[in-house]
Amino acid sequence: MGKALYDLMETMARNTFFQAVALAIVFDTLMGLLRAIKEKTFNSCFGINGAIRKVAMILCVIFLGIVDKIIGLNLIGFIPKDLWAAIGMQTPAVIGLMEFFAILFIVYEIVSILKNMTLAGLPVKGVWMKVKAILSKYTTELPDDD
């Protein structure tokens, strides 16, 4: 059991999607930290709520990696073949539950990064306002304006 767990964790650590989630989380935390320093208070990215959310994302990706290993689900059929080349995927690619949720988490973190960059005073307010307008039109899942 110990060897199997070690092999799974090693495989996860080499997975590009897992690495991208980890990098997005680290960068969002750093932007949240800079914002917290500027505002002299904790915020949704650098505080207990943000930490819980970020740990939950990592645990979810690891859990879904285990589920993928057990059931071997491949969702690649849901991605148009024209999109494969555009994002640099090689066929036959495997997009399991872990990769699917990793993509969602990466997008969520990118939105949070843009919000934090704007609130920290970086010159990306125009980009953030466009992204926020698109999100407002198509979803109710907007990051807090704290």
Side-chain angles (χ1 to χ4, degrees):
M1 180 70 174
K3 171 93 170 97
L5 183 59
Y6 175 79
D7 290 344
L8 177 68
M9 295 308 292
E10 189 176 332
T11 300
M12 292 289 291
R14 287 191 313 259
N15 184 293
T16 304
F17 290 89
F18 182 82
Q19 292 171 356
V21 169
L23 286 172
I25 287 172
V26 167
F27 192 65
D28 187 42
T29 302
L30 290 173
M31 288 295 104
L33 172 62
L34 293 175
R35 188 176 128 215
I37 291 169
K38 178 184 178 202
E39 296 172 350
K40 297 180 179 73
T41 185
F42 289 108
N43 57 53
S44 63
C45 293
F46 192 75
I48 191 67
N49 289 339
I52 290 169
R53 185 178 68 247
K54 290 168 190 318
V55 168
M57 283 184 207
I58 294 291
L59 291 175
C60 181
V61 170
I62 291 169
F63 173 77
L64 290 173
I66 294 168
V67 171
D68 284 340
K69 190 83 165 164
I70 293 169
I71 64 172
L73 185 64
N74 190 358
L75 303 173
I76 194 67
F78 293 102
I79 299 175
K81 289 183 181 182
D82 296 339
L83 185 60
W84 291 0
I87 60 176
M89 288 175 51
Q90 297 175 354
T91 56
V94 175
I95 301 292
L97 292 170
M98 189 270 292
E99 288 85 2
F100 177 77
F101 276 88
I103 291 167
L104 295 176
F105 293 152
I106 291 164
V107 170
Y108 181 86
E109 288 298 290
I110 288 170
V111 169
S112 182
I113 289 165
L114 275 172
K115 177 193 77 167
N116 281 321
M117 290 171 79
T118 300
L119 295 175
L122 285 126
V124 294
K125 187 171 185 174
V127 174
W128 168 240
M129 295 311 288
K130 287 177 186 173
V131 168
K132 190 173 178 180
I134 291 168
L135 290 174
S136 296
K137 184 176 181 180
Y138 294 106
T139 183
T140 58
E141 296 294 322
L142 284 170
D144 298 333
D145 280 330
D146 57 350

